[in-house]
Amino acid sequence: MAARVQREAFDVTAEVSALTAGRSDIGSVVTFTGLVRGEADGRALRSLTLEHYPDMTEAELLRIDAEARDRFGLLGSLVVHRYGEFEPGDAIVLVVTLSRHRHSAFEAAEFLMDYLKSRAPFWKKEAFADGSERWVDARESDGSALARWTASATQK
Amino acid sequence: MAARVQREAFDVTAEVSALTAGRSDIGSVVTFTGLVRGEADGRALRSLTLEHYPDMTEAELLRIDAEARDRFGLLGSLVVHRYGEFEPGDAIVLVVTLSRHRHSAFEAAEFLMDYLKSRAPFWKKEAFADGSERWVDARESDGSALARWTASATQK
Amino acid sequence: MSDSRTDAAQGQTLTVRYFAWVREKVGCAEEVLEVPVGVATVGDLALWLAARGPQYADAFQRPGVVRAALDKVHVKPAAPIRGAQEVAFFPPVTGG
Amino acid sequence: MSDSRTDAAQGQTLTVRYFAWVREKVGCAEEVLEVPVGVATVGDLALWLAARGPQYADAFQRPGVVRAALDKVHVKPAAPIRGAQEVAFFPPVTGG
């Protein structure tokens, strides 16, 4: 039931422990950690920079976190997104979903990630090993991943 | 690419770090942690005991772990299952899946859990707050969860 | 330019923020403006900025590409500026 | 009882293990047996055990419920015992 935007690294065990401490109603904990990959479109990546709009980004993450909680009946959830400059292998995003039964925790975590990867107010700049840089364009495939949640809502 | 059956607790961060250390090809890490819930069929649970068949259980977990890796093209995976007596809130199972892109990591983790919850060679005994005990019966709903993976394989 | 009789914002002080390649092209992250005469909506402001110099023209040249937020809420170009503290211009978000 | 001419296992030493409520009903976790005459398959062995006393009868009374493994591989009742080191009987697994 929380969202944070931070420069610092996060610790999965610590975040999960804080969410589950003292509770016995939670059966399932799903976490997703997104790491910077060492290549983009076949080119060796040197670094990835994430820029965000302070306050607005937090507010958006809180809103989608609350939506996931309601939609999937979660017992708890957390979104942590880092900003700044990262190297391949660095962890930049963490989603944690808690539920009674596992399917809703999986669904909610994937829903959150589909949102975060396409709509979260971040802008990414890739710096390549050859010295070139580029701002990443909005990707259609991530928009498609998000669209299936809208479609499933319409079917209900 | 591993499976362990152990009495000891596990640490999610440490397990993930061991799997991702020194790699830059992994974009997505999904973990599932299963916790003992404090009630079963509306009755307050005091403890849950998991019995297993040493060696056979490990072999089965290794087999399903390898199947998940092949089926979903994972870059790595891990299954850790505890045995012994547990209290509500205790973590008893951990699945970690690593992949380039997130969907396959989510799918693989859910596939592994659907298997583990229905077919893994464990037997569960519930002890209730009122002093009664019972061995858990094999559940149809978990068999159904597993069946959809078989169905999707047939459709391909 | 919109009808400014009811939406008039001129003289109002506004913080304008730029992000990602819009920021790089404009050459600054943030500036404070007095809203010019005839600028009533976010779209009006973008057009006014685009006419301000080559860097701005470059940043705003692709119509429909640059997005906007008013007081940290995503808005369409037709959104009236009146009463707002802060407007931001940025490329489509690329997610986390 | 199966045709024992080709599957004969009698005299062979076999470790028999029980798990979960099968173990509790039988009253022990593990025993070593000499395979009796006429017992060639896992199913034969289950029938022979069921006739051994009330605890065994109780454990094996529900036909088709108790499952078996031979040398740690799940098998059907028709699986021949010959050459095996270990047979295990247990309820349907309930998962983790």
Side-chain angles (χ1 to χ4, degrees):
Chain A
M1 332 264 196
R4 303 199 313 265
V5 181
Q6 64 187 38
R7 192 180 283 275
E8 303 73 36
F10 48 76
D11 180 276
V12 180
T13 298
E15 300 293 353
V16 169
S17 297
L19 290 165
T20 57
R23 297 186 67 164
S24 62
D25 54 338
I26 298 162
S28 300
V29 180
V30 169
T31 76
F32 178 91
T33 305
L35 309 179
V36 178
R37 292 175 54 221
E39 57 116 57
D41 300 331
R43 299 168 65 194
L45 198 78
R46 185 168 51 77
S47 73
L48 180 71
T49 302
L50 268 83
E51 182 170 331
H52 79 302
Y53 187 170
D55 300 336
M56 181 164 151
T57 303
E58 264 105 351
E60 287 267 314
L61 300 192
L62 277 168
R63 189 189 60 72
I64 194 67
D65 181 65
E67 184 179 333
R69 191 171 71 237
D70 291 349
R71 182 171 190 151
F72 298 97
L74 298 181
L75 296 173
S77 58
L78 174 69
V79 173
V80 180
H81 212 302
R82 299 175 68 191
Y83 66 92
E85 188 175 349
F86 302 100
E87 292 178 3
D90 285 347
I92 53 174
V93 58
L94 171 67
V95 158
V96 183
T97 56
L98 313 176
S99 67
R100 219 166 247 101
H101 302 294
R102 66 188 180 278
H103 189 61
S104 52
F106 278 117
E107 288 272 283
E110 194 157 14
F111 167 80
L112 281 167
M113 284 310 306
D114 284 350
Y115 168 81
L116 290 171
K117 295 295 279 186
S118 62
R119 298 276 182 86
F122 289 94
W123 299 278
K124 287 186 284 205
K125 188 180 207 171
E126 295 169 335
F128 295 95
D130 63 14
S132 65
E133 293 188 343
R134 70 166 181 202
W135 287 96
V136 176
D137 272 333
R139 287 191 307 195
E140 193 43 48
S141 72
D142 281 317
S144 308
L146 193 62
R148 71 195 170 93
W149 300 104
T150 317
S152 75
T154 309
Q155 282 161 13
K156 278 171 193 164
Chain B
M1 333 266 196
R4 304 199 312 264
V5 182
Q6 63 187 38
R7 191 180 282 275
E8 303 73 36
F10 48 76
D11 181 276
V12 180
T13 299
E15 299 293 353
V16 169
S17 297
L19 289 165
T20 57
R23 297 185 67 163
S24 63
D25 54 339
I26 297 163
S28 299
V29 180
V30 170
T31 76
F32 178 92
T33 305
L35 309 179
V36 178
R37 292 175 55 220
E39 57 115 57
D41 300 331
R43 299 168 66 195
L45 198 77
R46 186 167 51 74
S47 73
L48 180 71
T49 302
L50 269 82
E51 183 171 330
H52 78 300
Y53 188 169
D55 299 337
M56 180 164 150
T57 303
E58 263 105 350
E60 287 267 313
L61 299 193
L62 278 168
R63 188 189 61 70
I64 194 68
D65 181 66
E67 184 179 332
R69 190 173 70 238
D70 290 350
R71 182 172 190 150
F72 299 96
L74 298 181
L75 296 173
S77 59
L78 172 69
V79 173
V80 180
H81 212 302
R82 298 176 68 192
Y83 66 93
E85 189 176 347
F86 303 100
E87 292 178 3
D90 285 347
I92 54 175
V93 58
L94 172 68
V95 158
V96 183
T97 55
L98 313 176
S99 66
R100 219 165 247 100
H101 301 293
R102 65 189 181 278
H103 189 61
S104 52
F106 278 117
E107 287 273 283
E110 193 157 15
F111 167 80
L112 281 167
M113 283 311 306
D114 284 350
Y115 168 81
L116 290 171
K117 295 294 278 184
S118 62
R119 298 276 181 84
F122 289 94
W123 299 278
K124 287 187 284 205
K125 189 181 208 170
E126 294 169 336
F128 295 95
D130 64 12
S132 66
E133 293 188 343
R134 70 167 182 202
W135 287 96
V136 176
D137 273 334
R139 286 190 309 195
E140 192 42 46
S141 70
D142 280 318
S144 308
L146 193 61
R148 70 195 170 92
W149 300 104
T150 316
S152 75
T154 308
Q155 281 162 12
K156 276 172 192 163
Chain C
M1 299 283 158
S2 307
D3 178 349
S4 59
R5 278 171 298 181
T6 55
D7 299 334
Q10 62 258 39
Q12 177 185 330
T13 298
L14 194 66
T15 300
V16 186
R17 301 177 72 173
Y18 308 102
F19 291 96
W21 54 253
V22 177
R23 173 179 53 71
E24 288 187 342
K25 286 175 190 287
V26 166
C28 83
E30 187 176 324
E31 58 186 323
V32 177
L33 296 179
E34 283 206 0
V35 178
V37 173
V39 168
T41 66
V42 168
D44 293 343
L45 182 62
L47 283 175
W48 183 85
L49 287 166
R52 226 175 159 203
Q55 289 150 295
Y56 288 91
D58 186 30
F60 287 93
Q61 73 181 339
R62 290 186 275 172
V65 169
V66 172
R67 308 300 162 94
L70 210 53
D71 290 336
K72 292 168 180 156
V73 175
H74 283 278
V75 293
K76 307 246 182 221
I81 284 172
R82 188 175 192 171
Q85 304 289 309
E86 180 176 302
V87 63
F89 292 104
F90 41 79
V93 298
T94 44
Chain D
M1 300 282 161
S2 307
D3 177 348
S4 59
R5 278 170 301 182
T6 53
D7 300 334
Q10 62 259 37
Q12 176 186 331
T13 297
L14 195 65
T15 300
V16 186
R17 300 176 73 172
Y18 308 102
F19 290 96
W21 55 253
V22 176
R23 172 179 52 71
E24 288 186 342
K25 285 175 190 286
V26 165
C28 83
E30 188 176 324
E31 57 186 323
V32 177
L33 296 178
E34 283 207 358
V35 178
V37 174
V39 169
T41 67
V42 168
D44 293 343
L45 181 62
L47 283 174
W48 182 83
L49 288 165
R52 224 175 159 205
Q55 289 150 293
Y56 287 92
D58 186 29
F60 287 93
Q61 71 181 340
R62 290 187 276 173
V65 170
V66 172
R67 308 299 163 94
L70 210 55
D71 289 337
K72 293 168 180 156
V73 175
H74 283 276
V75 293
K76 306 247 181 217
I81 284 172
R82 188 175 190 173
Q85 306 287 310
E86 180 175 302
V87 63
F89 293 104
F90 41 77
V93 297
T94 45

